[in-house]
Amino acid sequence: MGLTLEAIAKIAGVSRSTVSRVLNGGKGVKESTRLKVQGVIDSVNFQPNVAARGLAAGNTGIIGLVIPAGVSALFSDPYFPQLIQGISSVANAHDQSVMLWLAEPDYEERTIRKILYSGLLDGVIVSSMVIDDPTVQSLHESDIPFILIGRHPELEVNFVDVNNLSGGRAITSFLYRCGCRRIATITGPQNMVAGLDRFNGYCDALTVHGLPFSEDLVADGGFTEAGGYAAMKELLPMEPDGVFAASDIMAVGALRALGEAQLDVPADIALVGFDDAPVAARIKPSLTTMRQSTSRLGSKTLEILLDIIANPGHLPRQVIIEPELVIRKSCYAEEFRVEGG
Amino acid sequence: MGLTLEAIAKIAGVSRSTVSRVLNGGKGVKESTRLKVQGVIDSVNFQPNVAARGLAAGNTGIIGLVIPAGVSALFSDPYFPQLIQGISSVANAHDQSVMLWLAEPDYEERTIRKILYSGLLDGVIVSSMVIDDPTVQSLHESDIPFILIGRHPELEVNFVDVNNLSGGRAITSFLYRCGCRRIATITGPQNMVAGLDRFNGYCDALTVHGLPFSEDLVADGGFTEAGGYAAMKELLPMEPDGVFAASDIMAVGALRALGEAQLDVPADIALVGFDDAPVAARIKPSLTTMRQSTSRLGSKTLEILLDIIANPGHLPRQVIIEPELVIRKSCYAEEFRVEGG
DNA sequence: CTCCTTATTGGGAGCGCTCTCAGTATTAGG
DNA sequence: CCTAATACTGAGAGCGCTCCCAATAAGGAG
């Protein structure tokens, strides 16, 4: 409500400046005064006005999280909540606030301008992924600290990403090692770096194992359950003996199609996903997948952003997290240890 | 970046005040000057400083969305993304920004204070649901505009809620009308109003149809998949012929348990959920459930909050949205129309 | 053509806080 | 006990914007 620094100062019998010092670390204040002022602050539950502080100091303690329009359709995936949770947790610990922008096509332009020039944000996290996202371009041209979740194919920018390439390669190889020789893939959207990288990993693995690549064994599932289902239907006539779905959600859709086709997983056909979403462990059969800790991805990202804000001018910070193979029932071989029941 | 009102004024050859007027609706400005100033604003892409505006005007255009600690474990449910999407969409349309607070137990106290007294927020949405949430109490004692998603059991506050009571009653009655006479329920947490209301609706329906209530037919599923699974296991020995799971997520867990018990749904046992989550239509058999449009819940909530901010002092605004029965395969009778394939 | 209204515009005073700098109290050194 | 450091503290000047009020321009009536 209405209390101001000045009011606290008056109550404590000191000057505005002294209260401000106490509020901001208390350096250069006699211990006895610090205690006295802090006592008043605590007793009246004083909370300094963020807007005023932002105006005067130039930083607000607010971080923007932008989910661009292109991916907002996927927003109900468990991915985003986990990401937000990871970010939010670090934000709380660092006394920062998170402002969320779900960009919609109609408002995208306004969104960008607001982020860049309104002076509200100390830094921005963009859950990018869509190639050629104009937001990223604008941000890159501005001088506001920002970081991407997901690498950028061209720009030299800060990012944290899962190694989707090696992950795609690893899990495709795993299908091979489980005996699959006709491996299909259900890809994510090819205008997202993650979709692209996972697909390239798949291609790499085929090459490594001397398997031929065939367009017929590739279908786009758009990172959605329904897309995975449709893609699997499409792949079925090709009679693959193993399928790499580039996300667990799509794998769930694929599994549904497989079930309808009376095919047993993994006996008739092996299936693997990516992400280790919560559903992966629950579904029957449980899903072999690449684990990426999305909440850690989020927390790591904010940590780096805060570091960028505190220590500007470094080279781009680029962190790549290796995903981890989780072997479950949908694809396994005797020689590997299977997780869970 | 650095442009200020003053700079725009100088370029346009008018005063600071005039530019401010143009920015805020342009009332009382000659059309020709308005055009001239607007031209300059557009050409340099001027964006007024939010902190300064907030300080001077007293409102910031920022709405806080608080997800209290008690429910953050459920945050990865599709419920919250949908809610956020609904809120975000209205916020975009009204040129408001959304600040997200995932309260964690450790930080809850600080969170509340920050929300209340930092002066940053024009209003607050609390996705409450947990009974005796201290956040709500504090907010209620303050004079910041706020609204709950989910009714409050005691306080006379603004809220938007789904009619969980009538919904629970309706779907339990539907089980009855489908021939079930030994109806069990998997409840949500009983410290959440939604969990409580849906359970009470279930009890009401039993009474209406003259069915006896039995503690043995009630199990808590905590609104999670795993909880639903465990609860169903627990209920199995009681040999119910119909089960009302108080959320679709729990119904999915229950279905898993039923599958393991070799029971066919709906032939051996009928199952219904609540929410009409995306998974409800996808699962086999597709789930009969009560539809609530979570994103509409979110958008409605923000609309009302904005109205509260604009027109303060009214009586509590309390909106209750009726959920809608969606009949699918997990429980139906010939005389009802079934949705979907 | 002059005087009174009314439409526009400009200037000043903050909003509540931080930051710099000068002033005062304290302490140490001689 | 005095002088030079050093430790604290207070006052003033904004940060960029809105709001109020006085000043000026424009429009009408007489």
Side-chain angles (χ1 to χ4, degrees):
Chain A
M1 260 111 34
L3 277 183
T4 71
L5 245 198
E6 202 93 37
I8 303 296
K10 190 176 239 172
I11 299 174
V14 296
S15 78
R16 197 172 12 118
S17 313
T18 301
V19 180
S20 176
R21 286 191 194 95
V22 172
L23 235 30
N24 297 296
K27 208 57 195 170
V29 179
K30 202 199 292 175
E31 185 61 12
S32 62
T33 15
R34 202 190 66 72
L35 248 39
K36 181 175 58 180
V37 173
Q38 189 65 54
V40 175
I41 291 176
D42 290 344
S43 75
V44 301
N45 242 318
F46 173 68
Q47 196 68 27
N49 181 299
V50 173
R53 173 178 284 193
L55 224 207
N59 67 307
T60 55
I62 302 176
I63 297 295
L65 172 58
V66 182
I67 318 274
V71 295
S72 63
L74 305 173
F75 189 64
S76 57
D77 279 10
Y79 176 81
F80 286 101
Q82 285 177 21
L83 196 66
I84 292 174
Q85 224 156 11
I87 291 172
S88 198
S89 160
V90 174
N92 278 341
H94 286 81
D95 219 349
Q96 300 286 113
S97 300
V98 176
M99 185 147 261
L100 184 66
W101 257 294
L102 284 195
E104 297 175 85
D106 299 350
Y107 303 104
E108 187 120 28
E109 175 58 25
R110 187 184 66 77
T111 299
I112 296 175
R113 287 179 45 183
K114 194 154 185 174
I115 293 170
L116 291 182
Y117 305 112
S118 73
L120 225 209
L121 304 178
D122 290 352
V124 177
I125 296 175
V126 181
S127 171
S128 171
M129 309 178 359
V130 179
I131 296 172
D132 285 338
D133 188 330
T135 313
V136 175
Q137 190 63 44
S138 302
L139 240 14
H140 190 234
E141 286 162 8
S142 82
D143 51 8
I144 188 170
F146 79 104
I147 185 165
L148 262 42
I149 297 179
R151 71 179 185 87
H152 195 281
E154 292 158 16
L155 267 25
E156 275 291 311
V157 295
N158 310 301
F159 70 77
V160 175
D161 201 0
V162 168
N163 197 336
N164 290 302
L165 186 67
S166 76
R169 198 185 298 137
I171 200 144
T172 308
S173 287
F174 183 72
L175 280 167
Y176 180 88
R177 287 190 287 157
C178 288
C180 302
R181 291 299 177 269
R182 221 177 132 64
I183 303 175
T185 185
I186 300 174
T187 68
Q190 294 300 294
N191 68 338
M192 292 193 194
V193 182
L196 215 51
D197 284 355
R198 291 175 191 183
F199 173 62
N200 285 330
Y202 160 85
C203 295
D204 282 7
L206 293 191
T207 306
V208 165
H209 297 293
L211 257 31
F213 170 83
S214 162
E215 278 289 355
D216 296 340
L217 291 174
V218 180
D220 191 330
F223 275 155
T224 66
E225 203 269 357
Y229 174 84
M232 192 66 243
K233 288 264 188 203
E234 195 180 312
L235 291 171
L236 237 23
M238 303 296 125
E239 300 188 337
D241 55 5
V243 178
F244 163 41
S247 79
D248 287 349
I249 304 297
M250 294 196 295
V252 170
L255 199 58
R256 188 155 60 91
L258 257 14
E260 287 179 9
Q262 311 278 14
L263 289 171
D264 184 76
V265 177
D268 300 327
I269 182 170
L271 176 66
V272 298
F274 205 114
D275 290 343
D276 194 24
V279 71
R282 289 201 304 252
I283 206 166
K284 283 273 176 279
S286 57
L287 204 59
T288 292
T289 188
M290 295 304 295
R291 172 175 296 164
Q292 58 168 330
S293 168
T294 309
S295 79
R296 261 211 63 226
L297 188 65
S299 54
K300 189 77 194 164
T301 303
L302 180 49
E303 277 166 15
I304 294 177
L305 178 59
L306 292 177
D307 179 55
I308 293 171
I309 293 170
N311 314 96
H314 283 229
L315 293 176
R317 319 278 212 294
Q318 311 196 137
V319 175
I320 294 178
I321 299 175
E322 286 299 326
E324 173 195 349
L325 180 63
V326 178
I327 302 172
R328 294 205 185 89
K329 299 292 183 60
S330 72
C331 168
Y332 68 100
E334 292 308 332
E335 68 264 36
F336 303 117
R337 226 179 97 246
V338 180
E339 174 173 298
Chain B
M1 262 96 45
L3 278 181
T4 70
L5 246 197
E6 203 92 38
I8 303 297
K10 189 176 239 170
I11 298 175
V14 296
S15 79
R16 193 171 18 110
S17 313
T18 302
V19 179
S20 175
R21 286 191 194 94
V22 172
L23 234 31
N24 298 295
K27 208 60 195 168
V29 178
K30 201 199 291 175
E31 184 62 13
S32 62
T33 21
R34 201 190 66 71
L35 248 38
K36 182 175 59 181
V37 173
Q38 189 65 54
V40 175
I41 290 176
D42 290 344
S43 74
V44 302
N45 242 317
F46 173 68
Q47 196 70 25
N49 181 299
V50 174
R53 173 178 285 193
L55 224 206
N59 68 307
T60 55
I62 303 177
I63 298 294
L65 172 59
V66 182
I67 318 274
V71 296
S72 63
L74 305 173
F75 190 64
S76 57
D77 279 10
Y79 176 81
F80 286 102
Q82 285 177 23
L83 196 67
I84 292 175
Q85 223 156 11
I87 292 172
S88 198
S89 159
V90 174
N92 278 341
H94 287 80
D95 217 348
Q96 301 285 113
S97 300
V98 177
M99 184 147 259
L100 183 66
W101 257 295
L102 284 195
E104 297 175 81
D106 299 350
Y107 302 104
E108 188 120 26
E109 175 58 25
R110 189 184 65 77
T111 299
I112 296 175
R113 289 179 44 182
K114 191 153 187 174
I115 294 170
L116 291 182
Y117 303 112
S118 73
L120 224 209
L121 304 177
D122 289 353
V124 177
I125 296 175
V126 180
S127 172
S128 170
M129 308 180 356
V130 178
I131 296 172
D132 286 338
D133 189 330
T135 312
V136 175
Q137 190 62 44
S138 302
L139 241 14
H140 190 236
E141 286 161 9
S142 81
D143 52 6
I144 187 170
F146 80 104
I147 186 166
L148 262 42
I149 297 180
R151 72 178 184 86
H152 196 279
E154 293 157 15
L155 268 26
E156 276 291 312
V157 295
N158 311 300
F159 69 78
V160 176
D161 200 0
V162 168
N163 197 334
N164 290 302
L165 186 67
S166 77
R169 198 185 298 136
I171 199 142
T172 307
S173 286
F174 183 72
L175 279 167
Y176 180 87
R177 288 190 287 156
C178 288
C180 301
R181 290 299 176 269
R182 220 177 133 64
I183 303 176
T185 185
I186 299 175
T187 68
Q190 294 299 293
N191 68 338
M192 291 194 195
V193 182
L196 214 51
D197 284 356
R198 289 174 191 182
F199 173 63
N200 285 331
Y202 160 84
C203 295
D204 282 6
L206 292 191
T207 305
V208 165
H209 297 294
L211 259 31
F213 169 82
S214 161
E215 277 289 356
D216 295 340
L217 290 174
V218 179
D220 190 331
F223 275 155
T224 67
E225 204 269 354
Y229 174 83
M232 192 64 243
K233 287 266 188 201
E234 193 180 314
L235 292 171
L236 238 24
M238 303 296 124
E239 299 189 336
D241 57 3
V243 178
F244 163 40
S247 80
D248 288 350
I249 304 296
M250 294 195 294
V252 170
L255 200 58
R256 187 155 60 91
L258 257 13
E260 287 179 9
Q262 311 278 15
L263 289 171
D264 185 77
V265 177
D268 300 327
I269 182 170
L271 176 67
V272 298
F274 205 115
D275 289 345
D276 195 25
V279 71
R282 290 200 305 251
I283 207 165
K284 282 276 176 279
S286 57
L287 203 60
T288 294
T289 188
M290 295 304 294
R291 173 174 296 164
Q292 59 167 330
S293 168
T294 309
S295 80
R296 259 210 66 226
L297 189 65
S299 55
K300 189 77 192 166
T301 304
L302 181 49
E303 277 167 14
I304 294 176
L305 178 59
L306 292 177
D307 180 54
I308 292 170
I309 294 170
N311 314 97
H314 283 231
L315 294 175
R317 320 278 212 294
Q318 312 195 135
V319 175
I320 294 177
I321 300 175
E322 287 299 325
E324 174 195 349
L325 180 64
V326 179
I327 302 172
R328 295 206 184 89
K329 298 292 183 60
S330 71
C331 167
Y332 68 100
E334 292 308 331
E335 67 264 37
F336 303 116
R337 227 180 96 247
V338 180
E339 173 173 297

